[in-house]
Amino acid sequence: MDGKLRPRAGIMGRVLASPTEAPWRPRPSTADPCTQWLDPGASLAMTERATSEVPTGGPEETTSESAKLPTTEPSGEAAASESAWEEQTPVPQEPAPQAPAATKPAPASEDLPSAPLLLAVEDVSDSAVTVSWEPPERLGRLGLQGYVLELCREGASEWVPVNARPMMVTQQTLRNLALGDKFFLRVAAVSSAGAGPPAVLDQPVHIQKSIEAPKIRVPRHLRQTYIRQVGEAVNLQIPFQGNPKPQASWTHNGHALDSQRVSIRTGDQDSILFIRSAQRSDSGCYELTVRLEGLEAKAAIDILVIEKPGPPRSIRLLDVWGCNAALEWTPPQDTGNTDLLGYTVQKADKKTGQWFTVLERYHPTTCTVSDLIVGNSYSFRVFSENLCGLSASAAVTKELAHVQKADIAAKPKGFVERDFSEAPSFTQPLADHTSTPGYSTQLFCSVRASPKPKIIWMKNKMDIQGDPKYRALSEQGVCTLEIRKPSPFDSGVYTCKAVNVLGEASVDCRLEVKASATH
């Protein structure tokens, strides 16, 4: 029989057919509570027994036997390493005969890999566990072929391989576990010379129902003082988390709730506090406590029940002078269970009896009301104000404030009439102008004078008034001369003269009418 052929790995490990190759078996570990150490002969016997215990019945027997073991889900390179193992391990047609254990020399220590490093549990749920490890420091001269993860239930002495073939992964997930299972795990690195010493978990893995720590999620509008008015309903819904369902309880200022006034309904994910008609005595700190198997979470909610304040206790008129009146009052005895926003001061004329607001949200308790009408008598009143609004009534002055007329004699001053007479003066002179024959043109200037001056237009010092070729206009001090369809003959110096009784003034300009060029 060819010594290079190797049969497939059984439940307990891989059977080595070569008489010179030691059988694959776990190495001793001081942290292993379930290891049953065997000599090489016993190891070979156990390997043969394990191989012979592989179920050979029909599909139903095989399925029922494999259902007792947890299923694994390797990460990453599991499929690639398994196919590589099948290529390296051809299946013989007939099982190779085993040589006596005494004739098999133990493999050299440098051929075997060392124990994997940092074996740890990554995650445990109610039906699965995930473990991971790091590669060993020494891989051996023959190279690493993968890792074998084994399981030993608490109270048992036999290690059961989780994966029948070595797999080149450093993390595996065992699924389909039952609640209450408690077992140890170990992993060994495997080379062609055999398995190295295993790394064993220090503590057993316990599969139990997962517990989610309780947590309260207070809504944003309840993270500050929750204000309600007297008579309104209080309905607080506080969500929480926890698995299994936690126990919820409420307290008011550290004491138990009054069940006659407050109703509590707790579901799987929230707790509701309800007060049908809130009173001022319901104000305070309400604390929700959620407990679950020694864990707890707390949330405090401040509730303030308020109502309208009372009026100021008294008001009096201190003094009246000129058009002013000074008032003073005392704060109300009842502020409505909250701070005051200020006072509203109003006045009323005795003749009309209508109230007008003078000051709003005024904080001091003294004020001066001004701009009173002389000869009238006034009453004053003051309201208190908080978040609910103004007080139902006001404090009113008992006496009227009489604004007396002062004995003042008017001494009118003599009126001096101003003389606006002015000689003519031009504020805007005439400007030189160039025009085209056949197109009407205009000359402008502005003059100021009082009384209104007489406007005289001249061309080359000759009066042109009455000539139908020219039209003169004067409006609001603006003087305009329109020349209708001028010709080169109309070129010259034009003068505007303004004359009144106080004097005269004149301005002039040059107008040039260019003849059109002929070709």
Side-chain angles (χ1 to χ4, degrees), residues 210-477:
S210 60
I211 298 176
E212 181 182 356
K215 183 179 180 181
I216 302 175
R217 296 184 291 113
V218 180
R220 185 180 298 273
H221 69 282
L222 297 179
R223 297 176 187 174
Q224 54 188 0
T225 301
Y226 184 65
I227 299 177
R228 305 298 290 171
Q229 295 188 24
V230 172
E232 292 182 344
V234 177
N235 190 4
L236 305 182
Q237 183 178 7
I238 311 301
F240 59 80
Q241 296 174 344
N243 188 23
K245 177 184 175 182
Q247 298 294 325
S249 61
W250 287 85
T251 59
H252 179 208
N253 294 331
H255 303 286
L257 298 180
D258 183 1
S259 59
Q260 296 182 352
R261 292 197 46 78
V262 184
S263 300
I264 299 297
R265 185 187 67 80
T266 301
D268 294 340
Q269 298 179 347
D270 58 16
S271 183
I272 298 177
L273 182 145
F274 179 74
I275 303 176
R276 185 175 300 277
S277 178
Q279 300 298 323
R280 290 172 62 167
S281 60
D282 295 324
S283 301
C285 178
Y286 289 80
E287 187 175 62
L288 171 63
T289 303
V290 178
R291 295 183 177 88
L292 177 60
E293 297 189 8
L295 302 175
E296 70 177 16
K298 294 184 178 182
I301 300 172
D302 293 324
I303 298 179
L304 182 62
V305 182
I306 62 176
E307 60 183 343
K308 290 184 178 181
R313 284 177 288 180
S314 63
I315 182 174
R316 63 192 184 97
L317 183 65
L318 295 180
D319 192 13
V320 179
W321 73 97
C323 297
N324 309 297
L327 303 174
E328 183 182 31
W329 60 90
T330 54
Q333 187 173 4
D334 182 13
T335 62
N337 202 29
T338 185
D339 295 333
L340 293 178
L341 297 179
Y343 302 95
T344 297
V345 182
Q346 296 181 342
K347 67 178 180 180
D349 189 351
K350 183 180 178 181
K351 296 180 180 179
T352 62
Q354 296 181 356
W355 291 98
F356 297 93
T357 299
V358 179
L359 300 171
E360 288 184 307
R361 294 192 176 181
Y362 183 76
H363 291 279
T365 56
T366 59
C367 73
T368 300
V369 181
S370 304
D371 299 330
L372 302 177
I373 298 176
V374 175
N376 289 355
S377 299
Y378 291 90
S379 295
F380 301 95
R381 67 182 183 182
V382 179
F383 291 89
S384 304
E385 184 180 2
N386 64 6
L387 290 174
C388 292
L390 298 178
S391 56
S393 58
V396 185
T397 54
K398 296 180 180 179
E399 55 184 355
L400 297 176
H402 302 284
V403 182
Q404 301 292 339
K405 294 182 179 180
D407 297 333
I408 300 176
K411 296 180 180 180
K413 295 183 179 180
F415 178 73
V416 179
E417 185 177 359
R418 182 178 176 182
D419 186 9
F420 291 94
S421 300
E422 183 181 359
S425 62
F426 284 88
T427 57
Q428 180 66 35
L430 292 172
D432 294 340
H433 192 67
T434 302
S435 181
T436 303
Y439 294 90
S440 298
T441 186
Q442 293 179 338
L443 303 178
F444 299 94
C445 63
S446 60
V447 65
R448 185 177 64 184
S450 181
K452 183 178 180 181
K454 178 181 179 182
I455 304 301
I456 302 172
W457 284 94
M458 296 180 292
K459 175 189 175 184
N460 296 330
K461 305 300 182 180
M462 300 290 293
D463 191 353
I464 58 175
Q465 293 190 39
D467 191 337
K469 189 176 184 63
Y470 305 99
R471 186 174 67 165
L473 300 174
S474 179
E475 184 177 358
Q476 299 294 328

Side-chain angles (χ1 to χ4, degrees), residues 499-515:
V499 181
N500 69 357
V501 295
L502 297 178
E504 64 180 30
S506 63
V507 291
D508 50 27
C509 69
R510 178 172 293 278
L511 174 64
E512 183 176 359
V513 182
K514 292 184 178 182

Side-chain angles (χ1 to χ4, degrees), residues 23-24 34 38 63 106 122 132 183 245 287 348 382 416 418 442 469 491 493:
W24 174 80
C34 300
L38 304 175
T63 304
E122 296 290 338
S132 65
F183 51 85
K245 177 184 175 182
E287 187 175 62
V382 179
V416 179
R418 182 178 176 182
Q442 293 179 338
K469 189 176 184 63
S491 300
V493 177

